[in-house]
Amino acid sequence: MALVKISEILGGDCTDKQVSVRGWVYRKRQGKELIFLVVRDATGVIQCTVKKANATAWAEAEKLTIESSLTLEGVAKPDTRAPGGYEIAAEAVSIIGLAEVFPIAKDKSEEFIRDMRHLWLRSRKMNVVMDVRAKVLEYSREYFRKTCFTEVSPPMFISAAVEGGSTLFGLKYFDQTLYLTQSSQLYLEILIYSLENVYCIAPSFRAEKSRTIRHLTEYWHMEAEWPFADMNDLMKFEEGLMEHICKRTAEDCQKEFAELGADISKLAQVQVPFPRITYAEAIDRLKAKNSALKWGDDLGYEDEKLLAEEFGKPFFVYDYPKAIKAFYCKTRRDQPEIALSVDMMVPRIGEISTGGQREEDKDQLIQRMKEQELKPEDYEWYLDLRRYGTVPHVGFGMGVERLLVWMLDLDNIIDAIPFPRTTRRFYP
RNA sequence: GCCGUCGUGGCUCAGCCCGGUAGAGCGGCUGGCUGUUAACCAGUCGGUCAAAGGUCCGAAUCCUUUCGACGGCGCCA
């Protein structure tokens, strides 16, 4: 008796063979002579039939409730009447854990599903999304490995802000106050002086009271940093990474996209080089669409969406006014008002990544800190990096969940992560 | 932080505008029936309408406050 995964049966590998599957009851329909059990495991769902003639199996099947766990044995065969095209004629059914009445049924609201997150994760939708998420992370690591990057593990507890202080989560650390990191960038910058090309995939925390479908207070941040590089190198790397992720996903995740009803064809359009426009060009394009924007304003979400609609695929906006960018952004030596910063935008979501060239000159860096009313003495170790063998270097950070929302056409970022944390929800 | 929508049995909703002590479907239970596709038919159990206060002879329905949920903007990834 071969113990198989449901996907093997659905792939036609077990036709007319005696098989055994383990999983949970997804649906049940009972008649006088026949019970249909739809059984799910991590790989898919399959319809199973239990006939009354088999008294032992029938008695077990009658007891089964939705979400009960079981082992089921029988012959796998193609059947046009079965969803998925294959069916198991059950010969033996064995209950492992009999479930109480499952609270999630056909009629369910967003609110209810969120309250039942720990059970909703069993749904086919969440199952498939988490599967693709894992693959996207694998493809990302593939690309980093291929391009000679070393994965590193930065701290989550930090003592000083990376971005502005307003969005930090503070916490009690014995008798002191520490913060949860908003970005691992500064720590990656430390590590480029030994490992050179480094990256991490780690959580970042933002205490922004954002109420949108694009924000989490805890999100996974894919960040990289490397020396001896400029803005062109940065954009080339980022578009190469995106192309690789999209290409591998398009190859390997067709069934998952089909089950979610997500458009996989857009991934094929992700090819290097990506369109690149400067901030000034973006403003001009938006002005042509009657926007009241003027040079110096930051791009809002609606502006980003307007631009993204024009391209219909990922693209870059670079060369921002330095006033709207962080202190560590290097400024152009020929145009001191311009920061060497670049955002990657995608349709429907807007920004999914921000990167740029970091200021490698100590005095310029101190000057930038003062302009933004930061105290250089709070960043002594960061300044040390410029004192001892400074190098031109670049880096970026991409929101993993935002990437997934775009790829999988998700309605809300909370569905891109198993246990979403938002301003109001953090259970379970 | 600002703005909007919503809160009725386990779940999804109707009723609210034009006040008179709650109605349907799903689920549960009982029975019937069917190669079914989150089937169908019959019966049955189940709520005092988020909370508090007010108006009124009378409030789920009108008014006030509070709480909660969801979304938009801003901020960002």
Side-chain angles (χ1 to χ4, degrees):
Chain A
M1 179 75 56
L3 183 63
V4 300
K5 300 311 280 186
I6 288 169
S7 59
E8 297 176 61
I9 301 172
L10 298 175
D13 298 338
C14 305
T15 298
D16 297 323
K17 286 183 189 154
Q18 192 80 19
V19 296
S20 174
V21 294
R22 289 189 299 213
W24 291 264
V25 177
Y26 199 55
R27 306 275 182 260
K28 180 185 175 183
R29 292 178 287 277
Q30 179 160 5
K32 200 158 69 175
E33 301 288 333
L34 193 59
I35 294 174
F36 294 98
L37 293 175
V38 179
V39 175
R40 67 170 181 85
D41 70 7
T43 66
V45 296
I46 190 161
Q47 175 165 291
C48 309
T49 56
V50 183
K51 296 218 161 81
K52 199 168 193 175
N54 183 336
T56 319
W58 181 266
E60 287 290 279
E62 267 200 309
K63 285 186 244 165
L64 281 171
T65 49
I66 301 293
E67 287 303 315
S68 291
S69 50
L70 78 164
T71 302
L72 184 144
E73 295 171 7
V75 176
K77 55 181 180 10
D79 193 314
T80 51
R81 295 169 299 186
Y86 286 86
E87 189 172 87
I88 301 174
E91 288 161 15
V93 175
S94 168
I95 298 173
I96 297 170
L98 190 65
E100 295 178 24
V101 177
F102 199 62
I104 302 176
K106 181 170 59 178
D107 295 321
K108 53 199 181 297
S109 61
E110 270 300 313
E111 183 179 352
F112 183 66
I113 281 177
R114 292 179 193 197
D115 289 340
M116 295 285 142
R117 186 68 179 188
H118 52 298
L119 300 178
W120 179 240
L121 284 165
R122 302 179 182 200
S123 66
R124 283 302 300 164
K125 177 183 174 180
M126 294 314 296
N127 194 325
V128 171
V129 171
M130 293 312 134
D131 195 34
V132 174
R133 178 187 167 104
K135 284 177 174 161
V136 164
L137 292 176
E138 277 176 36
Y139 306 147
S140 307
R141 290 192 164 97
E142 271 172 15
Y143 192 78
F144 281 116
R145 196 179 311 126
K146 205 172 79 178
T147 49
C148 300
F149 274 71
T150 301
E151 182 164 7
V152 299
S153 307
M156 301 296 105
F157 285 154
I158 58 159
S159 51
V162 177
E163 309 284 344
S166 60
T167 62
L168 278 172
F169 281 111
L171 59 95
K172 226 179 99 186
Y173 189 80
F174 304 108
D175 52 0
Q176 296 183 61
T177 298
L178 287 189
Y179 306 93
L180 290 173
T181 187
Q182 296 165 306
S183 162
S184 298
Q185 179 196 322
L186 271 43
Y187 294 88
L188 296 186
E189 284 188 67
I190 296 175
L191 292 164
I192 65 168
Y193 290 85
S194 54
L195 294 164
E196 300 193 14
N197 301 354
V198 294
Y199 78 99
C200 68
I201 301 175
S204 280
F205 306 88
R206 303 273 167 104
E208 294 156 354
K209 288 187 179 168
S210 303
R211 305 203 41 75
T212 81
I213 56 166
R214 309 179 301 286
H215 287 84
L216 293 166
T217 53
E218 177 185 37
Y219 68 96
W220 283 70
H221 210 170
M222 186 188 303
E223 295 180 276
E225 207 71 29
W226 65 104
F228 312 114
D230 62 16
M231 288 291 279
N232 186 47
D233 299 321
L234 172 60
M235 285 187 259
K236 278 184 80 168
F237 183 89
E238 275 201 73
E239 65 192 10
L241 171 66
M242 271 293 274
E243 182 188 64
H244 179 80
I245 293 170
C246 293
K247 184 165 164 268
R248 297 281 285 120
T249 304
E251 287 164 2
D252 280 5
C253 302
Q254 284 157 18
K255 279 183 192 158
E256 289 81 355
F257 273 64
E259 190 164 350
L260 291 170
D263 169 32
I264 201 165
S265 71
K266 66 178 172 298
L267 302 183
Q269 291 161 28
V270 180
Q271 291 176 343
V272 298
F274 288 10
R276 299 178 184 184
I277 59 170
T278 62
Y279 165 85
E281 282 176 62
I283 296 289
D284 286 344
R285 280 173 187 254
L286 290 165
K287 272 185 190 161
K289 292 179 188 292
N290 296 323
S291 170
L293 273 181
K294 56 183 189 305
W295 200 94
D297 292 341
D298 205 353
L299 301 178
Y301 174 55
E302 292 303 324
D303 303 316
E304 292 174 4
K305 268 211 303 202
L306 267 175
L307 288 172
E309 276 168 27
E310 279 186 48
F311 291 107
K313 57 183 180 184
F315 65 100
F316 292 112
V317 179
Y318 66 103
D319 275 7
Y320 283 86
K322 73 168 179 183
I324 57 174
K325 289 294 172 181
F327 74 92
Y328 49 73
C329 279
K330 184 173 177 175
T331 49
R332 284 183 66 139
R333 297 303 183 243
D334 56 341
Q335 296 177 60
E337 290 308 305
I338 301 285
L340 293 165
S341 180
V342 57
D343 289 347
M344 190 193 289
M345 314 271 185
V346 297
R348 207 166 63 84
I349 317 301
E351 267 177 78
I352 63 165
S353 115
T354 294
Q357 188 143 1
R358 319 307 189 187
E359 180 56 70
E360 75 265 23
D361 182 86
K362 177 174 61 82
D363 297 329
Q364 292 274 348
L365 190 57
I366 290 171
Q367 179 59 32
R368 294 276 288 137
M369 285 176 174
K370 285 178 177 164
E371 282 170 20
Q372 305 207 355
E373 290 167 12
L374 297 169
K375 293 183 215 147
E377 54 268 37
D378 288 345
Y379 294 87
E380 271 308 311
W381 63 254
Y382 193 64
L383 291 168
D384 271 355
L385 305 179
R386 278 72 184 166
R387 290 189 180 104
Y388 307 111
T390 192
V391 283
H393 62 287
V394 298
F396 70 91
M398 183 179 292
V400 171
E401 290 78 18
R402 285 194 178 177
L403 173 62
L404 287 165
V405 168
W406 173 68
M407 291 178 78
L408 290 169
D409 300 336
L410 299 177
D411 294 330
N412 193 311
I413 197 165
I414 65 168
D415 287 334
I417 186 168
F419 304 104
R421 269 72 176 107
T422 61
T423 49
R424 291 183 183 170
R425 286 196 183 261
F426 33 80
Y427 172 91

